[in-house]
Amino acid sequence: MTIAEIVDILDAKVLSGEELLARDVHSACGSDLMSDVLAFVKDQSVLVTGLTNAQAVRTAEMMDIICIVLVRGKIADSGMIELAKDRSVAVLQTQHSMFAACGLLYERGLRGGGKSHAKKS
Amino acid sequence: MQKNLRLHYDISGDDYTRAGEASAQLKQVLRQLGLSSSIIRKVAIAMYEGEINMVIHANGGTIDVEIDSACISLVLRDTGPGISEIDLAMKEGYSTASENVRSMGFGAGMGLPNMRKHSDYMKLESTPGVGTTVHMKISIGEE
Ligand SMILES: Nc1ncnc2c1ncn2[C@@H]1O[C@H](COP(=O)(O)OP(=O)(O)OP(=O)(O)O)[C@@H](O)[C@H]1O
Ligand SMILES: [Mg+2]
């Protein structure tokens, strides 16, 4: 799906990255712990999170994540949007909770992807 | 690559929003060198975790990078409080991060284990009251 479709599905507001809306994304992850994202994420391109700071963008940048979805209508720090614009990371804001946002995207076909998704113990 | 490439970064300890800038810059350099995305990812994660640690636990420091045809070596030095129990610090989940740091999404105690996981060689030297030095190597070539 495209980032534009995510905007549509989550009834989201685009805070940065209008020019990225046509980009394709294949899988997503949801977390408020950046170290978890750094430890377990593999080739996901969307991060659903409640974190509203510049570090979320830095983490995205390290992991080649091109779209961050802020849940529960959280307000992004000014530093976050500034950095996101500079690094070409789309930041979307939705009123949905983390659980609902992930559920809605999953329902529409976005998956967790990577190995962590199907880890067997 | 013909000759070795050396890069030096000074990491400021008092600006949390800039933490990660050096790692982002190195990532850019590695891209320009045409390294594979999986190697770049490993280096980016290993260095970023180390850079964040320097900022949140040690008030900044320096990072020296050397790239040759076989590997990328990172040396992260700080003169922070040091780590008294290295074995404990290396455990997943162990963290002394403050509430403020946790609220930024860090403090899961995953940084050092993550650095070990993404590097092919890692050595952590630390003296309480003196500082910490982390050496990491990531080989280029075989995946
Ligand atoms: N450069 C350093 N100087 C002093 N102490 C450090 C340094 N790096 C790590 N530590 C200590 O080791 C602990 C574990 O580090 P680690 O990076 O694994 O987790 P963390 O930084 O607390 O959380 P996370 O990395 O998940 O955000 C830290 O909480 C801190 O006590
Ligand atoms: Mg850490």
Side-chain angles (χ1 to χ4, degrees), chain A residues 32-36 38-44 51 53-56 58-64 79 83 87, chain B residues 16-21 23-24 27 31 41 44-45 48-49 52 103-108 110-111 114 117-118:
Chain A
D32 287 347
L33 282 175
M34 292 304 105
S35 315
D36 266 359
L38 291 161
F40 301 116
V41 165
K42 265 195 151 251
D43 294 320
Q44 276 82 339
L51 276 185
N53 56 26
Q55 291 313 321
R58 300 266 183 215
T59 303
E61 191 181 8
M62 294 305 143
M63 306 304 285
D64 306 309
L83 189 65
R87 303 304 151 94
Chain B
Y16 282 8
T17 62
R18 283 193 63 79
E21 191 54 40
S23 304
K27 197 175 175 207
R31 260 210 207 105
R41 175 80 61 92
I45 294 172
Y48 181 57
E49 289 282 17
I52 294 285
S103 72
M104 298 191 309
F106 293 96
M110 292 303 295
N114 217 1
K117 182 172 139 195
H118 289 94

Side-chain angles (χ1 to χ4, degrees), chain A residues 33-36 38, chain B residues 49-50 52-60 76-86 88-98 101-102 105-115 124 126 131-134:
Chain A
L33 282 175
M34 292 304 105
S35 315
D36 266 359
L38 291 161
Chain B
E49 289 282 17
I52 294 285
N53 277 355
M54 279 181 156
V55 177
I56 66 181
H57 303 300
N59 199 34
L76 297 84
R77 290 189 189 88
D78 68 62
T79 52
I83 304 170
S84 47
E85 289 190 78
I86 291 179
L88 198 57
M90 289 298 302
K91 280 214 173 89
E92 287 188 10
Y94 176 82
S95 174
T96 61
S98 65
V101 165
R102 283 173 205 270
F106 293 96
M110 292 303 295
L112 290 171
N114 217 1
M115 286 154 76
L124 180 65
S126 191
T132 302
T133 302
V134 185

